[in-house]
Amino acid sequence: MPLKAAGLGAVLLIAHLGGFAWPLVFLYVAALAVAYNTPLMHTTKYLASFVVLSVASALLISRAPDARTAVLTVFLATVLWYIHAGIKNFFFIYRERWHYACVVGISYELLLVFFSSNHAGPFWIKAAFMFAALASVWHEYMRIQTEAEGGLSARYARVGGTVLALILVEAAWAIQLLPVAALQGANISMLVFLVASGAVRGRVTGGLVRWKILALISICTFLIIFTLLASSWAV
């Protein structure tokens, strides 16, 4: 499984170095198809998150300004592919925790794509793409967890995933108006989102406790203030 994830990372880097020419795009898609369908189990259950992860990784590395950023992007994508494979193939014991970490990582990748393309294309197109991607990923997570926990309907999973996606898009839209760099904008949006997703996750898993939410809000508020103070406010 680590070799499979590393292989996907290598193919992603090769495609990036080749400028994502059509033969390399075909190679990338073929490698993804082989990796996801080996072994041939749960092929539709985790498909949405795998597709979003793969597309977001390609979009993010295509916006890398230098080699260091490209390598970091490949590393992040490789880690997320490894976690995803472990969830899909039942390699991990605490799959809910790993699944949550995976969808949070995918959400962070989408935020980086959104903020790195700040001046590329109309805002509503980027927002619509991010909303659709986030909604599909979080709906998948909540659907699987509600089935595992029981007591919560599929409708709750759809509504919860849609609400979480809307919260993150609105947070990104508001923070985009601030004169902060792309990385700082993505980090602040992610901190805001972690509070909302943590509350929803606690509701799904039955671990929603008031002091945990208050502690998470306090920590995130402190980190947001620290990030804003450390940011360059030049317009």
Side-chain angles (χ1 to χ4, degrees), residues 14 22 52 67 101 140 154 176:
I14 292 172
W22 282 112
V52 172
E140 175 192 277
Q176 186 184 226

Side-chain angles (χ1 to χ4, degrees), residues 60 63-65 69 107-120 126 130 171-173 175-191 227-228 230-234:
L60 185 58
R63 288 163 171 76
T69 306
S107 302
Y108 186 63
E109 272 200 343
L110 289 169
L111 281 172
L112 290 174
V113 172
F114 177 82
F115 281 97
S116 63
S117 59
N118 190 18
H119 302 291
K126 296 182 294 182
M130 188 167 72
W173 170 76
I175 294 168
Q176 186 184 226
L177 302 177
L178 299 176
V180 295
L183 183 60
Q184 281 83 8
N187 290 340
I188 295 171
S189 300
M190 199 68 229
L191 289 173
T227 303
L228 289 174
S231 301
S232 175
W233 285 81

Side-chain angles (χ1 to χ4, degrees), residues 61-225:
I61 198 172
S62 66
R63 288 163 171 76
D66 49 44
R68 179 173 174 269
T69 306
V71 172
L72 289 175
T73 302
V74 170
F75 176 76
L76 175 60
T78 301
V79 171
L80 292 176
W81 273 320
Y82 172 75
I83 295 175
H84 192 279
I87 299 165
K88 174 181 176 291
N89 300 326
F90 287 179
F91 180 78
F92 298 133
I93 297 176
Y94 301 104
R95 287 191 299 276
E96 186 277 328
R97 299 177 185 177
W98 287 106
H99 197 181
Y100 178 75
C102 185
V103 294
V104 166
I106 295 172
S107 302
Y108 186 63
E109 272 200 343
L110 289 169
L111 281 172
L112 290 174
V113 172
F114 177 82
F115 281 97
S116 63
S117 59
N118 190 18
H119 302 291
F123 167 80
W124 68 270
I125 294 180
K126 296 182 294 182
F129 166 76
M130 188 167 72
F131 175 79
L134 287 168
S136 62
V137 168
W138 283 96
H139 172 240
E140 175 192 277
Y141 165 77
M142 296 191 65
R143 173 178 51 80
I144 293 172
Q145 299 310 321
T146 51
E147 290 175 357
E149 296 293 331
L152 295 176
S153 63
R155 182 182 178 184
Y156 180 88
R158 289 193 297 271
V159 173
T162 303
V163 170
L164 284 175
L166 186 61
I167 290 174
L168 189 52
V169 170
E170 289 182 344
W173 170 76
I175 294 168
Q176 186 184 226
L177 302 177
L178 299 176
V180 295
L183 183 60
Q184 281 83 8
N187 290 340
I188 295 171
S189 300
M190 199 68 229
L191 289 173
V192 173
F193 182 67
L194 283 174
V195 176
S197 64
V200 173
R201 180 193 178 208
R203 175 69 178 88
V204 172
T205 60
L208 183 59
V209 183
R210 181 181 299 177
W211 73 265
K212 289 184 179 181
I213 299 300
L214 293 176
L216 187 59
I217 292 174
S218 301
I219 294 172
C220 289
T221 301
F222 171 77
L223 292 175
I224 289 172
I225 294 174

Side-chain angles (χ1 to χ4, degrees), residues 21-67:
W22 282 112
L24 295 177
V25 171
F26 177 79
L27 174 65
Y28 179 58
V29 173
L32 291 171
V34 172
Y36 182 77
N37 291 292
T38 306
L40 195 63
M41 58 184 296
H42 307 297
T43 54
T44 59
K45 193 173 184 179
Y46 299 94
L47 182 60
S49 56
F50 185 79
V51 171
V52 172
L53 167 59
S54 303
V55 173
S57 299
L59 291 175
L60 185 58
I61 198 172
S62 66
R63 288 163 171 76
D66 49 44

